Amino acid sequence: MDPGTAWYSLNLVHTIKPQQVLTARGCNMSFRRALFEQHSLWFDERFQGSAVREESDFCLRIRKTGYKIWYDPTAHLVHLGEESGGCHDISTRSFKYQITFYHNNFLMGLKNLTPTQFLRLSTDLFDCQVLGHPPCCKSGSPLSIISRAIFYILGCLAAVKTLLSSLWNDGQRYTQLDQMVGDM
């Protein structure tokens, strides 16, 4: 139930009963419309690339309203595979993917976590994603670690830049377009 690391340890594949969780993975989530309308909650469109951690950000903001997040093992869906569009338009080996992966983790942390939780997220992210320790199990070659460390730093700086630019631009481009269409 640690908001900084819950996403990494969320493994409900073999769980057979509904239960409260801190956050959910975004591949199969549903919410009552009233949640959006009464609390003005929206998914933050500043999460980029694969949008990793946008669901953690959203769930943590839901929890601040007093609502709880529940996992229901009976819920299911069929994902229709598309080769492009949405969050797939980025190769996991690309420079852009690497930067946005760290950007999104740091953005979620900076927006939602206490300083202690953020430090833990940053440390665990470095240990797993940069150094390659379990559960990530990545190459331990010095060149790989150095390149991942560079992406880690650049992603952190990009998240800080995103938050600073939020002072004049909240990044909710699609939400604003939906609201304009609704006002017409």
Side-chain angles (χ1 to χ4, degrees), residues 129-149:
Q129 295 292 337
V130 176
L131 297 179
H133 296 145
C136 295
C137 302
K138 295 183 179 226
S139 167
S141 78
L143 186 58
S144 293
I145 291 172
I146 290 168
S147 67
R148 291 190 303 257

Side-chain angles (χ1 to χ4, degrees), residues 6-155:
W7 190 82
Y8 281 108
S9 57
L10 183 67
N11 185 1
L12 299 169
V13 173
H14 303 292
T15 302
I16 57 172
K17 62 182 182 177
Q19 60 185 285
Q20 182 183 343
V21 293
L22 184 66
T23 183
R25 291 224 173 150
C27 54
N28 184 11
M29 299 187 310
S30 59
F31 304 97
R32 288 185 170 82
R33 182 182 192 102
L35 178 70
F36 295 93
E37 294 169 347
Q38 292 172 359
H39 298 282
S40 297
L41 287 174
W42 307 101
F43 282 91
D44 188 336
E45 297 168 19
R46 296 172 297 175
F47 285 85
Q48 304 169 359
S50 67
V52 67
R53 289 298 211 150
E54 83 173 334
E55 68 276 84
S56 298
D57 171 70
F58 188 69
C59 289
L60 291 171
R61 289 185 291 127
I62 288 171
R63 292 176 59 85
K64 289 177 184 175
T65 69
Y67 282 96
K68 295 180 174 145
I69 309 296
W70 280 88
Y71 167 75
D72 183 351
T74 63
H76 65 279
L77 60 81
V78 175
H79 279 279
L80 301 176
E82 294 292 331
E83 291 190 27
S84 66
C87 295
H88 317 83
D89 282 345
I90 190 166
S91 165
T92 59
R93 294 194 178 274
S94 74
F95 179 82
K96 183 177 178 184
Y97 174 86
Q98 296 300 321
I99 299 295
T100 59
F101 172 81
Y102 291 110
H103 166 272
N104 293 351
N105 274 280
F106 285 118
L107 181 60
M108 185 283 306
L110 289 167
K111 286 179 58 186
N112 298 289
L113 304 180
T114 66
T116 303
Q117 291 168 332
F118 181 77
L119 181 60
R120 173 136 185 242
L121 168 70
S122 302
T123 303
D124 288 350
L125 192 63
F126 189 85
D127 184 59
C128 181
Q129 295 292 337
V130 176
L131 297 179
H133 296 145
C136 295
C137 302
K138 295 183 179 226
S139 167
S141 78
L143 186 58
S144 293
I145 291 172
I146 290 168
S147 67
R148 291 190 303 257
I150 291 168
F151 291 130
Y152 176 93
I153 293 165
L154 292 175

